[in-house]
Each structure stands twice: as C-alpha cells, then as structure tokens.
Amino acid sequence: VQLQASGGGLVQTGDSLRLSCVASGITLNQETIGWFRQAPGKEREGVSCINLSDDKTHYADSVKGRFTISRDNTKNTVYLQMNSLKPEDTAIYYCARRAGGLSYTASGYGSWGQGTQVTVSS
C-alpha cells in the first residue's frame, strides 16, 4: 500500500494549488486520510484530514477557510485544494492513512509517500 502526493510547485502569495493523494495497492474506503506538512526546521504538522466512511473533515486553524479536502472515489484519490496561499504555507506536503477517525497524531498514520514541495513566494 502506498500513497503518493503530487501537485506541488512554486507559486506567489494569493495563488492556488491542488494537491493529489493517489493510493495504490488498496481501494480507499473506510479509513482516514490526512494531509501533513513539514517546513525546514519545524515539526511535521497536520493540515487537514477526512474520514472516508462518513466524509467528516477537519482543518488546522492555520488553513481553515483557505484549504478544502475532498475525495474522488473513481480515481482513488484525495485532494487538497489550497487557495490564498501564504509564504508560511511553504513546506513539503505529505498524505497518509490511518484506520479510525479524524486525528493529527502522525504516529497513528501509515503508508506515507515521499511528499510534494509547495513553495509560496512573497
């Protein structure tokens, strides 16, 4: 089982990006998919997560109102739409999966991919 994040890039403040998290080796169904990010010299932090059994979502305060997490069952993919990007959003973004409900405890997640770099210039 592997999750692969993609869609990052170099953008300017106020721009948008859509990240994709594609699962291989498993059909995403009941688990929770979380998006995390890690900036240089900082701890990995949870950004958003979605529980695929009931579509409940959660957002970190730092991204609430700007980011939207969604799913496409036909593509076995979870997206993170990021609008109004700020320089402080610059980080490597990862997706991962866990059995159970919404959580930002990284140790409870598995199937981490390599991440995708998001750089927001001011």
Side-chain angles (χ1 to χ4, degrees):
V1 178
Q2 185 176 12
L3 299 183
Q4 184 59 54
S6 63
L10 172 62
V11 296
Q12 295 183 333
T13 298
D15 284 350
S16 299
L17 281 174
R18 188 178 75 163
L19 305 185
S20 299
C21 176
V22 181
S24 59
I26 190 171
T27 299
L28 297 179
N29 188 10
Q30 300 285 324
E31 55 268 80
T32 289
I33 302 298
W35 282 100
F36 294 78
R37 66 186 181 188
Q38 188 165 17
K42 294 188 176 181
E43 296 284 325
R44 186 172 297 190
E45 64 169 342
V47 174
S48 180
C49 50
I50 181 169
N51 183 266
L52 301 184
S53 65
D54 58 15
D55 285 334
K56 286 185 178 178
T57 61
H58 192 276
Y59 299 91
D61 288 342
S62 58
V63 306
K64 200 171 293 182
R66 300 188 298 122
F67 290 12
T68 303
I69 192 170
S70 63
R71 65 189 293 186
D72 185 334
N73 293 338
T74 65
K75 297 182 179 180
N76 213 29
T77 299
V78 171
Y79 299 102
L80 185 67
Q81 177 67 43
M82 306 188 297
N83 298 329
S84 302
L85 283 162
K86 305 175 181 180
E88 50 263 45
D89 294 319
T90 295
I92 300 175
Y93 284 70
Y94 302 87
C95 59
R97 59 188 287 268
R98 71 183 296 270
L102 302 176
S103 170
Y104 288 134
T105 303
S107 61
Y109 282 81
S111 305
W112 294 85
Q114 289 190 338
T116 185
Q117 176 71 49
V118 172
T119 304
V120 185
S121 63
S122 57

